[in-house]
Amino acid sequence: MRCPYCDNQNTRVVDTREASEKVRRRRECSGCDRRFTTYETVEKVDITVIKRDGENEEFREEKIYDGVERAASKTSIT
Ligand SMILES: [Zn+2]
């Protein structure tokens, strides 16, 4: 993490606090001794389905169930 004041690459974490879905860290630059705050969050994993016609669509679990149900409806599979 580069210092926003002097661009130094060496910073150290002086305080860490967890707040719901993110982690807040206070950092201190070892070059200019100034402090700044960073936030760490989890990147959400979005699954996109690329359909046969090339269209993109958000993945929906229900559609899988519906498809399996439809495929099994005319068989002896319960
Ligand atoms: Zn600095």
Coordinates of all heavy atoms in Angstrom, one line a residue:
M1 N 0.8 -1.2 0.0 CA 0.0 0.0 0.0 C 0.9 1.3 0.0 O 1.7 1.4 0.9 CB -0.9 0.0 1.3 CG -1.9 1.0 1.3 SD -3.2 0.9 0.1 CE -4.1 -0.6 0.6
R2 N 0.7 2.1 -1.0 CA 1.6 3.3 -1.1 C 1.0 4.4 -0.3 O -0.2 4.6 -0.2 CB 1.6 3.7 -2.6 CG 2.5 2.9 -3.5 CD 2.6 3.4 -4.9 NE 3.4 2.6 -5.7 CZ 4.7 2.7 -5.9 NH1 5.3 3.7 -5.2 NH2 5.4 1.9 -6.6
C3 N 1.9 5.2 0.3 CA 1.5 6.4 1.1 C 0.9 7.4 0.1 O 1.5 7.7 -0.9 CB 2.8 6.9 1.7 SG 2.5 8.5 2.5
P4 N -0.3 7.9 0.4 CA -0.9 8.9 -0.4 C -0.2 10.3 -0.4 O -0.5 11.2 -1.2 CB -2.3 9.0 0.1 CG -2.2 8.6 1.5 CD -1.1 7.6 1.6
Y5 N 0.7 10.5 0.6 CA 1.4 11.8 0.7 C 2.7 11.8 0.0 O 3.1 12.8 -0.7 CB 1.6 12.1 2.2 CG 0.3 12.2 3.0 CD1 0.0 11.2 3.9 CD2 -0.6 13.2 2.8 CE1 -1.2 11.2 4.6 CE2 -1.9 13.2 3.4 CZ -2.1 12.2 4.3 OH -3.3 12.2 5.0
C6 N 3.5 10.7 0.2 CA 4.9 10.7 -0.4 C 5.1 9.6 -1.3 O 6.2 9.4 -1.9 CB 5.9 10.8 0.7 SG 6.1 9.2 1.6
D7 N 4.1 8.7 -1.6 CA 4.2 7.6 -2.5 C 5.2 6.5 -2.0 O 5.5 5.5 -2.8 CB 4.7 8.1 -3.9 CG 4.0 7.3 -5.0 OD1 2.9 6.8 -4.8 OD2 4.7 7.1 -6.1
N8 N 5.6 6.5 -0.8 CA 6.5 5.5 -0.2 C 5.7 4.2 -0.2 O 4.5 4.1 0.1 CB 6.9 5.9 1.2 CG 8.0 5.0 1.8 OD1 7.9 3.8 1.7 ND2 9.0 5.7 2.4
Q9 N 6.4 3.1 -0.5 CA 5.7 1.8 -0.5 C 5.7 1.1 0.9 O 5.0 0.1 1.1 CB 6.4 0.8 -1.5 CG 5.8 0.9 -2.8 CD 6.4 -0.3 -3.7 OE1 7.6 -0.4 -3.9 NE2 5.5 -1.1 -4.2
N10 N 6.5 1.6 1.8 CA 6.6 1.0 3.1 C 5.7 1.7 4.2 O 6.0 2.8 4.6 CB 8.0 1.0 3.7 CG 8.9 0.2 2.7 OD1 8.6 -1.0 2.3 ND2 10.1 0.7 2.4
T11 N 4.6 1.0 4.5 CA 3.7 1.5 5.5 C 3.5 0.4 6.5 O 3.6 -0.8 6.2 CB 2.4 1.9 4.9 OG1 1.7 0.8 4.3 CG2 2.6 3.0 3.9
R12 N 3.1 0.8 7.7 CA 2.8 -0.3 8.7 C 1.4 0.0 9.3 O 1.0 1.1 9.3 CB 3.8 -0.4 9.8 CG 3.9 0.9 10.7 CD 5.1 0.7 11.7 NE 5.0 1.8 12.7 CZ 4.5 1.7 13.8 NH1 4.0 0.5 14.2 NH2 4.4 2.7 14.7
V13 N 0.7 -1.1 9.6 CA -0.6 -1.0 10.2 C -0.5 -0.7 11.7 O 0.2 -1.4 12.4 CB -1.4 -2.3 10.0 CG1 -2.8 -2.3 10.7 CG2 -1.6 -2.6 8.5
V14 N -1.1 0.4 12.1 CA -1.1 0.7 13.5 C -2.4 0.4 14.3 O -2.4 0.3 15.5 CB -0.7 2.3 13.8 CG1 0.7 2.5 13.4 CG2 -1.7 3.2 13.0
D15 N -3.5 0.2 13.5 CA -4.7 -0.2 14.2 C -5.6 -0.9 13.2 O -5.6 -0.5 12.0 CB -5.4 1.1 14.7 CG -6.7 0.8 15.5 OD1 -6.6 -0.2 16.3 OD2 -7.7 1.5 15.4
T16 N -6.4 -1.9 13.6 CA -7.3 -2.6 12.7 C -8.6 -2.7 13.4 O -8.7 -3.2 14.6 CB -6.7 -4.1 12.4 OG1 -5.5 -3.9 11.8 CG2 -7.7 -4.8 11.5
R17 N -9.7 -2.3 12.7 CA -11.0 -2.5 13.3 C -12.0 -3.1 12.3 O -12.0 -2.7 11.1 CB -11.6 -1.1 13.7 CG -11.0 -0.7 15.0 CD -11.5 0.7 15.3 NE -10.5 1.3 16.2 CZ -10.7 2.3 17.0 NH1 -11.9 2.9 17.0 NH2 -9.8 2.8 17.7
E18 N -12.7 -4.1 12.7 CA -13.7 -4.7 11.8 C -15.0 -4.0 12.0 O -15.5 -3.8 13.1 CB -13.8 -6.2 12.2 CG -12.6 -7.0 11.6 CD -12.9 -8.5 11.5 OE1 -14.0 -8.9 11.2 OE2 -11.9 -9.2 11.8
A19 N -15.6 -3.7 10.9 CA -17.0 -3.0 10.9 C -17.8 -3.7 9.9 O -17.6 -3.5 8.7 CB -16.8 -1.5 10.6
S20 N -18.8 -4.4 10.3 CA -19.7 -5.2 9.4 C -19.0 -5.9 8.3 O -18.3 -6.9 8.5 CB -20.9 -4.4 9.0 OG -20.5 -3.3 8.2
E21 N -19.1 -5.4 7.1 CA -18.5 -6.1 6.0 C -17.1 -5.6 5.5 O -16.6 -6.0 4.5 CB -19.5 -6.1 4.8 CG -20.7 -7.0 5.0 CD -21.7 -7.0 3.9 OE1 -21.3 -6.5 2.8 OE2 -22.8 -7.5 4.1
K22 N -16.6 -4.7 6.3 CA -15.2 -4.2 5.9 C -14.3 -4.1 7.1 O -14.7 -4.0 8.2 CB -15.3 -2.9 5.1 CG -16.1 -1.8 5.8 CD -16.1 -0.6 4.8 CE -17.2 0.4 5.2 NZ -17.4 1.4 4.2
V23 N -13.0 -4.1 6.8 CA -12.0 -3.9 7.8 C -11.3 -2.6 7.6 O -10.9 -2.3 6.5 CB -10.9 -5.1 7.7 CG1 -9.9 -4.9 8.8 CG2 -11.6 -6.4 7.9
R24 N -11.3 -1.8 8.7 CA -10.7 -0.5 8.6 C -9.3 -0.5 9.2 O -9.1 -1.1 10.3 CB -11.5 0.5 9.4 CG -11.0 1.9 9.4 CD -12.0 2.7 10.3 NE -11.7 4.1 10.3 CZ -10.8 4.7 11.1 NH1 -10.1 4.0 12.0 NH2 -10.6 6.0 11.0
R25 N -8.3 -0.1 8.5 CA -6.9 -0.1 9.0 C -6.3 1.3 9.0 O -6.4 2.1 8.0 CB -6.0 -1.0 8.1 CG -6.4 -2.4 8.2 CD -5.4 -3.3 7.4 NE -5.9 -4.5 6.9 CZ -6.2 -5.6 7.6 NH1 -5.8 -5.6 8.9 NH2 -6.7 -6.7 7.1
R26 N -5.7 1.7 10.1 CA -4.9 2.9 10.2 C -3.5 2.5 9.9 O -2.9 1.6 10.4 CB -5.0 3.5 11.6 CG -6.2 4.3 11.9 CD -6.5 5.4 11.0 NE -5.7 6.6 11.4 CZ -5.6 7.7 10.6 NH1 -6.2 7.8 9.4 NH2 -4.9 8.7 11.0
R27 N -2.9 3.2 8.9 CA -1.5 2.9 8.5 C -0.6 4.1 8.7 O -1.1 5.3 8.7 CB -1.5 2.5 7.0 CG -2.1 1.2 6.7 CD -2.1 0.9 5.3 NE -2.9 -0.3 5.0 CZ -2.3 -1.5 4.9 NH1 -1.0 -1.6 5.0 NH2 -3.1 -2.5 4.6
E28 N 0.6 3.8 9.0 CA 1.6 4.9 9.2 C 2.7 4.7 8.2 O 3.3 3.6 8.0 CB 2.2 4.9 10.6 CG 3.0 6.1 10.9 CD 3.5 6.1 12.3 OE1 2.8 6.5 13.2 OE2 4.6 5.5 12.6
C29 N 3.1 5.7 7.4 CA 4.1 5.7 6.4 C 5.5 5.7 7.1 O 5.7 6.5 8.0 CB 4.0 6.9 5.5 SG 5.4 7.0 4.3
S30 N 6.4 4.8 6.7 CA 7.7 4.8 7.4 C 8.6 5.9 6.7 O 9.7 6.1 7.2 CB 8.3 3.4 7.3 OG 8.4 3.0 6.0
G31 N 8.1 6.5 5.6 CA 8.9 7.5 5.0 C 8.7 8.9 5.6 O 9.6 9.6 5.9
C32 N 7.4 9.3 5.7 CA 7.1 10.6 6.1 C 6.3 10.6 7.5 O 6.0 11.7 8.0 CB 6.3 11.4 5.1 SG 4.6 10.7 4.9
D33 N 6.1 9.4 8.0 CA 5.4 9.3 9.4 C 4.0 9.8 9.4 O 3.4 9.8 10.5 CB 6.2 10.0 10.5 CG 7.5 9.3 10.8 OD1 7.7 8.1 10.5 OD2 8.5 10.0 11.3
R34 N 3.4 10.1 8.2 CA 2.0 10.5 8.3 C 1.1 9.3 8.3 O 1.5 8.2 7.9 CB 1.7 11.4 7.0 CG 2.4 12.7 7.1 CD 2.3 13.5 5.9 NE 1.1 14.4 6.0 CZ 0.8 15.4 5.2 NH1 1.6 15.6 4.2 NH2 -0.2 16.1 5.3
R35 N -0.1 9.5 8.8 CA -1.1 8.4 8.9 C -2.2 8.5 7.9 O -2.6 9.6 7.6 CB -1.6 8.3 10.3 CG -0.5 7.8 11.3 CD -1.1 7.6 12.6 NE -0.1 7.0 13.5 CZ -0.3 6.6 14.7 NH1 -1.5 6.6 15.2 NH2 0.7 6.1 15.4
F36 N -2.8 7.4 7.4 CA -3.9 7.4 6.6 C -4.7 6.1 6.8 O -4.3 5.2 7.5 CB -3.5 7.5 5.1 CG -2.6 6.5 4.6 CD1 -3.1 5.4 3.9 CD2 -1.2 6.5 4.8 CE1 -2.2 4.4 3.4 CE2 -0.4 5.5 4.3 CZ -0.9 4.5 3.6
T37 N -6.0 6.1 6.3 CA -6.9 5.0 6.5 C -7.1 4.2 5.3 O -7.3 4.8 4.2 CB -8.2 5.5 7.1 OG1 -8.0 6.3 8.2 CG2 -9.2 4.4 7.4
T38 N -7.2 2.9 5.4 CA -7.6 2.1 4.2 C -8.7 1.1 4.7 O -8.9 0.9 5.9 CB -6.4 1.2 3.7 OG1 -6.0 0.3 4.8 CG2 -5.3 2.0 3.2
Y39 N -9.5 0.7 3.7 CA -10.6 -0.2 4.0 C -10.4 -1.4 3.1 O -10.1 -1.3 1.9 CB -12.0 0.5 3.6 CG -12.3 1.6 4.6 CD1 -12.0 2.9 4.3 CD2 -13.0 1.3 5.8 CE1 -12.4 3.9 5.1 CE2 -13.3 2.3 6.6 CZ -13.0 3.6 6.3 OH -13.3 4.6 7.2
E40 N -10.7 -2.6 3.7 CA -10.6 -3.9 3.0 C -12.0 -4.5 3.0 O -12.7 -4.6 4.0 CB -9.6 -4.7 3.8 CG -9.4 -6.1 3.2 CD -8.4 -6.9 4.0 OE1 -7.3 -6.5 4.3 OE2 -8.8 -7.9 4.5
T41 N -12.5 -4.9 1.8 CA -13.8 -5.5 1.6 C -13.6 -6.8 0.8 O -12.7 -6.9 0.0 CB -14.8 -4.6 0.9 OG1 -14.3 -4.3 -0.3 CG2 -15.1 -3.4 1.8
V42 N -14.6 -7.7 0.9 CA -14.6 -8.9 0.1 C -15.2 -8.6 -1.2 O -16.2 -7.9 -1.3 CB -15.4 -10.0 0.8 CG1 -15.6 -11.2 -0.1 CG2 -14.8 -10.4 2.1
E43 N -14.5 -9.0 -2.3 CA -15.1 -8.8 -3.6 C -16.2 -9.8 -3.8 O -16.0 -11.0 -3.7 CB -13.9 -9.0 -4.6 CG -14.4 -8.5 -6.0 CD -13.2 -8.6 -7.0 OE1 -12.3 -9.4 -6.8 OE2 -13.2 -7.8 -7.9
K44 N -17.3 -9.3 -4.2 CA -18.5 -10.2 -4.5 C -18.2 -11.0 -5.7 O -17.7 -10.5 -6.7 CB -19.7 -9.4 -4.6 CG -20.1 -8.8 -3.3 CD -21.7 -8.9 -3.1 CE -22.0 -8.5 -1.7 NZ -22.1 -7.1 -1.5
V45 N -18.6 -12.3 -5.7 CA -18.4 -13.2 -6.8 C -19.7 -13.2 -7.6 O -20.7 -13.8 -7.1 CB -18.0 -14.6 -6.4 CG1 -17.8 -15.5 -7.6 CG2 -16.7 -14.5 -5.6
D46 N -19.8 -12.6 -8.7 CA -21.0 -12.6 -9.5 C -20.8 -13.7 -10.6 O -19.8 -13.7 -11.3 CB -21.3 -11.3 -10.2 CG -21.7 -10.3 -9.1 OD1 -22.4 -10.7 -8.2 OD2 -21.3 -9.1 -9.3
I47 N -21.8 -14.5 -10.8 CA -21.7 -15.5 -11.9 C -22.6 -15.1 -13.0 O -23.7 -14.8 -12.8 CB -22.1 -16.9 -11.4 CG1 -21.2 -17.4 -10.2 CG2 -22.0 -17.9 -12.5 CD1 -21.6 -18.7 -9.6
T48 N -22.0 -15.0 -14.2 CA -22.8 -14.6 -15.4 C -22.9 -15.8 -16.3 O -22.0 -16.5 -16.6 CB -22.1 -13.4 -16.1 OG1 -21.9 -12.4 -15.2 CG2 -22.8 -13.0 -17.3
V49 N -24.1 -16.0 -16.7 CA -24.4 -17.1 -17.7 C -24.4 -16.5 -19.1 O -25.1 -15.5 -19.4 CB -25.8 -17.7 -17.4 CG1 -26.1 -18.8 -18.5 CG2 -25.8 -18.3 -16.0
I50 N -23.6 -17.1 -20.0 CA -23.6 -16.6 -21.4 C -24.5 -17.5 -22.1 O -24.3 -18.7 -22.3 CB -22.2 -16.6 -22.0 CG1 -21.3 -15.7 -21.2 CG2 -22.2 -16.2 -23.5 CD1 -19.8 -15.9 -21.4
K51 N -25.6 -17.0 -22.6 CA -26.6 -17.8 -23.2 C -26.3 -18.2 -24.7 O -25.3 -17.6 -25.2 CB -28.0 -17.1 -23.2 CG -28.3 -16.8 -21.7 CD -29.8 -16.4 -21.5 CE -30.6 -17.6 -21.7 NZ -32.0 -17.4 -21.4
R52 N -27.0 -19.1 -25.2 CA -26.7 -19.6 -26.6 C -26.7 -18.5 -27.6 O -25.9 -18.5 -28.5 CB -27.7 -20.7 -27.0 CG -27.0 -21.7 -27.9 CD -28.0 -22.9 -28.1 NE -28.3 -23.6 -26.8 CZ -28.9 -24.7 -26.7 NH1 -29.4 -25.3 -27.8 NH2 -29.1 -25.3 -25.6
D53 N -27.6 -17.5 -27.4 CA -27.6 -16.4 -28.4 C -26.6 -15.3 -28.1 O -26.6 -14.3 -28.7 CB -29.1 -15.8 -28.4 CG -29.5 -15.2 -27.1 OD1 -28.7 -15.2 -26.1 OD2 -30.7 -14.8 -27.0
G54 N -25.7 -15.6 -27.1 CA -24.7 -14.6 -26.8 C -25.0 -13.6 -25.8 O -24.2 -12.8 -25.3
E55 N -26.3 -13.6 -25.3 CA -26.8 -12.7 -24.3 C -26.2 -13.1 -22.9 O -26.0 -14.3 -22.7 CB -28.3 -12.7 -24.2 CG -29.0 -12.1 -25.4 CD -29.4 -10.6 -25.1 OE1 -29.7 -10.3 -24.0 OE2 -29.3 -9.9 -26.1
N56 N -25.9 -12.1 -22.1 CA -25.4 -12.4 -20.8 C -26.5 -12.2 -19.8 O -27.4 -11.3 -19.9 CB -24.3 -11.4 -20.3 CG -23.0 -11.7 -21.1 OD1 -22.9 -12.6 -21.9 ND2 -22.0 -11.0 -20.7
E57 N -26.6 -13.1 -18.8 CA -27.6 -13.1 -17.8 C -27.1 -13.5 -16.5 O -26.2 -14.3 -16.4 CB -28.7 -14.1 -18.3 CG -30.0 -14.1 -17.5 CD -30.9 -15.1 -18.0 OE1 -31.5 -14.9 -19.1 OE2 -31.1 -16.2 -17.3
E58 N -27.6 -12.8 -15.4 CA -27.1 -13.1 -14.0 C -27.5 -14.6 -13.7 O -28.7 -15.0 -14.0 CB -27.8 -12.2 -13.1 CG -27.3 -12.2 -11.7 CD -28.1 -11.3 -10.7 OE1 -28.4 -10.2 -11.2 OE2 -28.3 -11.7 -9.6
F59 N -26.6 -15.3 -13.1 CA -27.0 -16.7 -12.7 C -28.0 -16.8 -11.6 O -28.0 -16.0 -10.7 CB -25.7 -17.4 -12.2 CG -26.0 -18.8 -11.6 CD1 -26.2 -19.9 -12.5 CD2 -26.0 -19.0 -10.2 CE1 -26.4 -21.1 -12.0 CE2 -26.3 -20.3 -9.7 CZ -26.4 -21.3 -10.6
R60 N -29.1 -17.6 -11.9 CA -30.1 -17.8 -10.9 C -30.3 -19.3 -10.6 O -30.7 -20.0 -11.5 CB -31.4 -17.1 -11.4 CG -31.3 -15.6 -11.4 CD -32.6 -14.9 -11.1 NE -33.8 -15.5 -11.6 CZ -34.3 -15.2 -12.8 NH1 -33.7 -14.4 -13.6 NH2 -35.4 -15.8 -13.3
E61 N -30.1 -19.7 -9.4 CA -30.2 -21.1 -9.0 C -31.5 -21.7 -9.3 O -31.6 -22.8 -9.7 CB -29.9 -21.2 -7.5 CG -29.5 -22.5 -7.0 CD -29.1 -22.6 -5.6 OE1 -28.3 -21.7 -5.1 OE2 -29.6 -23.5 -4.9
E62 N -32.6 -20.9 -9.1 CA -34.0 -21.4 -9.4 C -34.1 -21.9 -10.8 O -34.9 -22.9 -11.0 CB -35.1 -20.3 -9.1 CG -34.9 -19.5 -7.9 CD -34.0 -18.3 -8.2 OE1 -34.4 -17.3 -8.9 OE2 -32.9 -18.3 -7.7
K63 N -33.5 -21.3 -11.7 CA -33.6 -21.7 -13.1 C -33.0 -23.1 -13.3 O -33.5 -23.8 -14.2 CB -32.9 -20.7 -14.1 CG -33.6 -19.4 -14.2 CD -33.1 -18.6 -15.4 CE -34.1 -18.3 -16.3 NZ -33.6 -17.6 -17.5
I64 N -32.0 -23.5 -12.6 CA -31.4 -24.8 -12.6 C -32.5 -25.8 -12.2 O -32.8 -26.9 -12.8 CB -30.1 -25.0 -11.8 CG1 -29.1 -24.0 -12.3 CG2 -29.6 -26.4 -11.8 CD1 -28.5 -24.2 -13.7
Y65 N -33.1 -25.5 -11.0 CA -34.1 -26.4 -10.4 C -35.3 -26.6 -11.4 O -35.8 -27.7 -11.7 CB -34.7 -25.9 -9.1 CG -33.7 -26.1 -7.9 CD1 -33.0 -25.0 -7.4 CD2 -33.5 -27.4 -7.4 CE1 -32.1 -25.2 -6.4 CE2 -32.6 -27.6 -6.4 CZ -31.9 -26.5 -5.8 OH -31.0 -26.7 -4.8
D66 N -35.7 -25.4 -12.0 CA -36.9 -25.5 -12.9 C -36.5 -26.4 -14.1 O -37.4 -27.2 -14.6 CB -37.2 -24.1 -13.4 CG -37.8 -23.2 -12.3 OD1 -38.2 -23.8 -11.3 OD2 -37.9 -22.0 -12.5
G67 N -35.3 -26.2 -14.6 CA -34.9 -27.0 -15.8 C -34.8 -28.5 -15.5 O -35.3 -29.3 -16.3
V68 N -34.3 -28.9 -14.3 CA -34.2 -30.3 -14.0 C -35.6 -30.8 -13.7 O -35.9 -31.9 -14.2 CB -33.3 -30.5 -12.7 CG1 -33.4 -31.9 -12.2 CG2 -31.9 -30.1 -13.0
E69 N -36.5 -30.0 -13.1 CA -37.9 -30.4 -12.9 C -38.6 -30.7 -14.2 O -39.3 -31.7 -14.4 CB -38.6 -29.4 -12.1 CG -39.6 -29.9 -11.1 CD -40.1 -28.8 -10.1 OE1 -41.0 -28.0 -10.5 OE2 -39.5 -28.7 -9.0
R70 N -38.4 -29.8 -15.1 CA -39.1 -29.9 -16.4 C -38.5 -31.1 -17.2 O -39.3 -31.9 -17.8 CB -38.8 -28.6 -17.3 CG -40.0 -28.1 -18.0 CD -39.7 -26.8 -18.7 NE -39.2 -25.7 -17.9 CZ -38.0 -25.1 -18.1 NH1 -37.2 -25.4 -19.1 NH2 -37.6 -24.2 -17.3
A71 N -37.2 -31.4 -17.1 CA -36.6 -32.5 -17.8 C -37.1 -33.8 -17.2 O -37.2 -34.8 -17.9 CB -35.1 -32.4 -17.7
A72 N -37.4 -33.8 -15.9 CA -37.8 -35.1 -15.2 C -39.3 -35.3 -15.2 O -39.7 -36.4 -14.9 CB -37.2 -35.1 -13.8
S73 N -40.0 -34.3 -15.6 CA -41.5 -34.3 -15.4 C -42.1 -35.5 -16.2 O -43.1 -36.0 -15.8 CB -42.1 -33.0 -15.8 OG -41.9 -32.7 -17.2
K74 N -41.6 -35.8 -17.4 CA -42.2 -36.8 -18.2 C -41.5 -38.2 -18.0 O -41.6 -39.1 -18.9 CB -42.2 -36.4 -19.7 CG -43.2 -35.3 -19.9 CD -43.2 -34.8 -21.3 CE -44.3 -33.7 -21.4 NZ -43.9 -32.7 -22.4
T75 N -40.7 -38.3 -17.0 CA -40.0 -39.6 -16.7 C -40.5 -40.1 -15.4 O -41.4 -39.5 -14.7 CB -38.5 -39.4 -16.6 OG1 -38.2 -38.7 -15.4 CG2 -37.9 -38.6 -17.8
S76 N -40.0 -41.3 -14.9 CA -40.4 -41.8 -13.7 C -39.6 -41.3 -12.5 O -39.9 -41.6 -11.3 CB -40.2 -43.4 -13.7 OG -38.9 -43.7 -14.0
I77 N -38.7 -40.3 -12.8 CA -37.9 -39.7 -11.8 C -38.7 -38.8 -10.9 O -39.4 -37.9 -11.5 CB -36.7 -39.0 -12.4 CG1 -35.8 -39.9 -13.2 CG2 -35.8 -38.3 -11.3 CD1 -34.8 -39.2 -14.1
T78 N -38.7 -38.9 -9.6 CA -39.6 -38.1 -8.8 C -38.8 -36.8 -8.4 O -37.6 -36.8 -8.4 CB -40.0 -38.8 -7.5 OG1 -38.8 -39.2 -6.8 CG2 -40.9 -40.0 -7.8
Ligands
ZN1 ZN 4.6 9.0 3.3

